[in-house]
Amino acid sequence: MARIIVITSGKGGVGKTTSSASFATGLALRGHKTAVIDFDVGLRNLDLIMGCERRVVYDLINVVSGEANLRQALIKDKHCDNLFILPASQTRDKDALTEEGVERVLNELIQMDFEYIICDSPAGIEHGAIMALTFADEAIVVTNPEVSSVRDSDRILGIIQARSRRALNGGEPVKEHLLITRYSPKRVDAGEMLSHQDVQEILRIPLIGIIPESETVLHASNQGNPAIHLTGSDVSLAYEDVVGRFLGEDLPLRFMDYEKPGLLKRIFGVK
């Protein structure tokens, strides 16, 4: 049975599309047939991070409006045979997304035997974001450990609980997960950033992972390479852990504690 997972956030710039790309890639690398859909109509970015921007011919709006079929629009990932990308339109209006059209696309993906369908939502509560979460079975709420980001994430949780198809039909609630990105234990220790315990206490949903702050993520994204492909890096390991936990593995949290430098490191200025 296919699972539809929305990757969402209340605030922009928290690493949501980066997380969508790495999460979808991680599932596919484990042998699961996975599709990832960009719902950010007008501000298309997923194809850039996935490194397939030059291969876009048709997009989500073309499929929703009947101008192309789904097989024409899906782009096979260059690294993984089990992964397919459905890009957003860069020129059309968000209102071109209809609930009926989105439902038809999702049903077609299910009929094509996709195990996981990842919906990369725009930030906030505009039309594209509502369309992305409407049919979700599960939601990964991405937040930075900052007050404004956490507050906006709390708003998104309320929208999921009120506006999803499951909520409207009185069904089983959407299963929610918390993903904290750009986490710096050093800044937490200095009181410059909320701790993961603080974030959890506010949002009160299960923590699926902590992604450490890293400049390598930006470099990877600029090269069209999902961060999970940065083999051996803390960020790659963190995303691999997220995928493992999502699939039911019992993995300890990493990258959340600050190890203060010893005397010699302080003397010689080693960071």
Side-chain angles (χ1 to χ4, degrees), residues 38 46 71 87 142 152 156 161 164 227 232 248:
D38 189 348
L46 180 66
R71 292 185 185 275
V142 183
D152 290 347
I156 284 296
Q161 292 157 8
S164 68

Side-chain angles (χ1 to χ4, degrees), residues 157-164 167-168:
L157 287 170
I159 297 293
I160 293 170
Q161 292 157 8
R163 300 283 296 274
S164 68
L168 292 173

